[in-house]
Amino acid sequence: TITTSGDYKIHTFTSSGTFTVSSVGNTVGGGAGVSYLVLAGGGSGGSRNPGGNGGAGGAGGYREGKNSGDPYTASPLNAPAGLTVSAQTYPISVGAGGTVPGDAVAQGNTGSNSVFSTITSAGGGKGGVSDPGNSNNVSAGNGGSGGGAAFGPGPKAQNFGYGNTPPVSPPQGQNGGQGRSSNTVSSGAGGGAGGVGTSADGTDAGDGGPGVASVITGSSVTRGGGGGGASETIPEGDAGPGGGGKGKFVNGPTANMNGTANTGGGGGGGYCSQGGTGGSGVVIIRYKYQN
């Protein structure tokens, strides 16, 4: 879709396509520079059915750059400069969210990358899984933001996933959280674009890491929230602000576990169930078209 905000046009890609530059502007009109937001698909949560728990999925990698002279305030404040374009066609890839694995005991799936020109944002890390039978304990995955770790009964800690993988500056995402089996079996949350996923504390599952609010479209929208961890008891992990999915407790509903489409949100962790799917990403391009 193409919208306007003052003297600027904004192209928002919710699925893959092309961005065609017919001609570039002069220096008075902002030149050949564009601002951008490139957000990858979020990872899905781990599945464990019956028994046990899965960690939450991490948010897709979040990268935003602001062209010199563009009046909007970029988030993060240390965002790099925008990109210089030329008269050509640019392929746009919008990453899909990680799907829920079909196996009864499985870690989640990593989200897919989103790409515009030289900017690639990495898909969110997959949630881990812990098997009480000790036959299929798998750590969470790294990615744009890291997946949350699961934890089975006893000393079976799994590793959380690391965000900003591969590394870019400023970071495209944050780490996931650790699981825990003291008092109750709970899993860690997925990392968000704006903060780490919290670890389970023995009574509550981890809450998804927060996303980042951007006004690149002319209004504030928060994207890139991590998924919430699963828990043996209430409360389960909350979804990270910005499209993350909620975690599940053992006898609770599966509603709201999926990451929201086009936010790059991570899927919630599953307890005695499948995890939530990751939310798809988005690519936004903004440039000056009139004075």
Side-chain angles (χ1 to χ4, degrees), residues 37 39 62 64 75 211-224 241-243 261-263 282 284:
L37 190 160
L39 176 62
Y62 180 105
E64 183 176 353
S75 182
V212 172
S214 173
V215 292
I216 190 171
T217 61
S219 58
S220 181
V221 179
T222 302
R223 306 174 181 86
N262 301 123
T263 68
V282 69
I284 301 172

Side-chain angles (χ1 to χ4, degrees), residues 9-286:
K9 281 190 177 181
I10 299 104
H11 294 234
T12 300
F13 292 85
T14 56
S15 59
S16 298
T18 57
F19 177 67
T20 301
V21 179
S22 300
S23 62
V24 298
N26 56 35
T27 55
V28 175
V34 299
S35 301
Y36 63 84
L37 190 160
V38 180
L39 176 62
S44 64
S47 300
R48 184 65 183 95
N49 188 26
N53 69 96
Y62 180 105
R63 301 184 67 184
E64 183 176 353
K66 188 175 87 71
N67 190 40
S68 175
D70 194 331
Y72 92 96
T73 301
S75 182
L77 295 178
N78 60 340
L83 293 177
T84 299
V85 297
S86 58
Q88 62 174 294
T89 296
Y90 292 85
I92 302 293
S93 296
V94 175
T99 58
V100 174
D103 295 337
V105 183
Q107 65 183 154
N109 286 314
T110 302
S112 298
N113 297 349
S114 289
V115 183
F116 164 50
S117 184
T118 59
I119 303 299
T120 298
S121 295
K126 51 194 172 184
V129 65
S130 185
D131 180 2
N134 216 14
S135 62
N136 195 9
N137 291 332
V138 184
S139 294
N142 304 330
S145 287
F151 207 129
K156 299 178 182 176
Q158 306 303 306
N159 294 326
F160 59 82
Y162 289 91
N164 197 30
T165 305
V168 294
S169 181
Q172 59 180 311
Q174 305 295 324
N175 296 342
Q178 183 60 283
R180 185 168 176 168
S181 65
S182 300
N183 300 325
T184 184
V185 178
S186 302
S187 62
V196 298
T198 60
S199 298
D201 64 6
T203 56
D204 299 349
D207 293 333
V212 172
S214 173
V215 292
I216 190 171
T217 61
S219 58
S220 181
V221 179
T222 302
R223 306 174 181 86
S231 180
E232 187 175 26
T233 58
I234 299 174
E236 67 279 11
D238 286 332
K246 192 172 184 177
K248 183 181 182 298
F249 72 96
V250 59
N251 294 317
T254 58
N256 303 318
M257 290 181 65
N258 296 335
T260 304
N262 301 123
T263 68
Y271 199 108
C272 296
S273 73
Q274 290 185 322
T277 60
S280 55
V282 69
V283 172
I284 301 172
I285 303 168
R286 172 184 167 113

